[in-house]
Amino acid sequence: MAARKASAVDLVLHEIRRSILSGELPPGRPFTVPALTEQLGVSHVPVREALRQLEAQGLIVLSPSRSATVTPLDPDDLRAIYRLRITVEPELAALSAPGRTDAAIDELDGMVRATFDHVLGEAFWQPHRDFHAALIEPAASDWDRRMLTPLWDASERYTRLVFDPVEAPDSFAAHRAHAHDELVDAARSRDPERVRAAVREHLENNLSTMLARMAGLDRPSAAATVEHDATA
């Protein structure tokens, strides 16, 4: 695989996400830009940009006083999101399977390569999302896409925390590429039942992994890099 290099913003995003998952930055706890700048040993520019992106992703809430708090994560919320995704996406993928051309399958395979064989970090998420959108084509209607877009937005808040490509990028890429290769193999069969089962299993596995990680949020890790004294 190609060598990967994360930007300063990517690294700051990674450290803050890891601290949220470890419980060192629990929901509701305030922290400030100057404290993070000092704790992480970087300038205020990547910290501010990272916090801006985290707010856009729904992971934190910024205040005018240059402080931020972690948005609560709710397992029931995540289950509800995935209940809807599991109801809709496997069926649309199955309906799309028989008419998928060789070129369309090659495009899916190319999306996996583009997502996992190049630079990881924030650049990972859009091609990953494009791949899952392509899986439900051409069966998806405009209404399907309108309904799934907010579900993907909501679930990405959780997947960005748990499936972090900055930490151990090579092993992350190999493991996740394999999981998505299985979806391409199912699509290549053009068997609606196989495709339906593969997409459903993929989503169910992701949900189980995220719920397991969230269950450990109340067990702080000594390895987290943003410590309690980084708070305001």
Side-chain angles (χ1 to χ4, degrees):
M1 292 183 185
R4 297 173 178 86
K5 183 179 180 181
S7 69
V9 174
D10 287 340
L11 291 172
V12 172
L13 281 165
H14 165 69
E15 298 298 347
I16 297 174
R17 287 194 189 112
R18 187 167 65 177
S19 296
I20 293 172
L21 272 179
S22 73
E24 292 293 334
L25 287 177
R29 167 167 290 177
F31 57 96
T32 65
V33 171
L36 284 174
T37 299
E38 180 179 355
Q39 189 70 30
L40 299 175
V42 296
S43 73
H44 70 278
V45 175
V47 171
R48 287 184 182 279
E49 176 58 22
L51 292 179
R52 186 191 66 78
Q53 292 189 33
L54 289 168
E55 182 179 46
Q57 296 158 17
L59 294 175
I60 67 167
V61 177
L62 289 172
S63 73
S65 62
R66 299 174 68 195
S67 67
T69 55
V70 177
T71 306
L73 299 174
D74 186 347
D76 289 336
D77 178 53
L78 182 61
R79 289 187 187 95
I81 293 165
Y82 267 78
R83 183 172 65 248
L84 293 171
R85 289 190 63 183
I86 290 168
T87 299
V88 176
E89 290 179 55
E91 185 62 26
L92 289 175
L95 290 171
S96 299
R100 204 180 293 278
T101 65
D102 288 342
I105 293 169
D106 289 343
E107 184 178 357
L108 284 175
D109 186 66
M111 286 180 172
V112 175
R113 304 283 75 78
T115 303
F116 296 101
D117 287 359
H118 298 95
V119 175
L120 295 179
E122 290 307 294
F124 162 81
W125 296 105
Q126 188 57 51
H128 174 258
R129 182 163 173 158
D130 291 343
F131 172 83
H132 280 276
L135 273 178
I136 64 173
E137 298 295 343
S141 69
D142 287 342
W143 278 108
D144 292 320
R145 297 184 196 95
R146 289 190 195 106
M147 178 180 63
L148 283 170
T149 295
L151 291 175
W152 287 337
D153 288 340
S155 63
E156 194 167 287
R157 173 184 171 219
Y158 294 88
T159 56
R160 280 175 176 267
L161 278 171
V162 174
F163 298 109
D164 187 347
V166 174
E167 185 173 4
D170 289 330
S171 60
F172 171 91
H175 177 71
R176 298 309 301 165
H178 175 72
H180 290 75
D181 283 338
E182 290 180 344
L183 296 176
V184 176
D185 288 343
R188 191 171 283 114
S189 75
R190 297 181 175 84
D191 179 352
E193 290 303 320
R194 181 178 171 186
V195 171
R196 182 185 290 109
V199 174
R200 183 181 185 89
E201 182 179 10
H202 182 85
L203 294 174
E204 288 176 341
N205 287 343
N206 285 355
L207 174 61
S208 296
T209 300
M210 286 187 281
L211 289 173
R213 290 294 302 273
M214 289 172 64
L217 285 177
D218 58 349
R219 297 192 296 273
S221 167
T225 55
V226 181
E227 299 177 352
H228 282 295
D229 26 49
T231 61

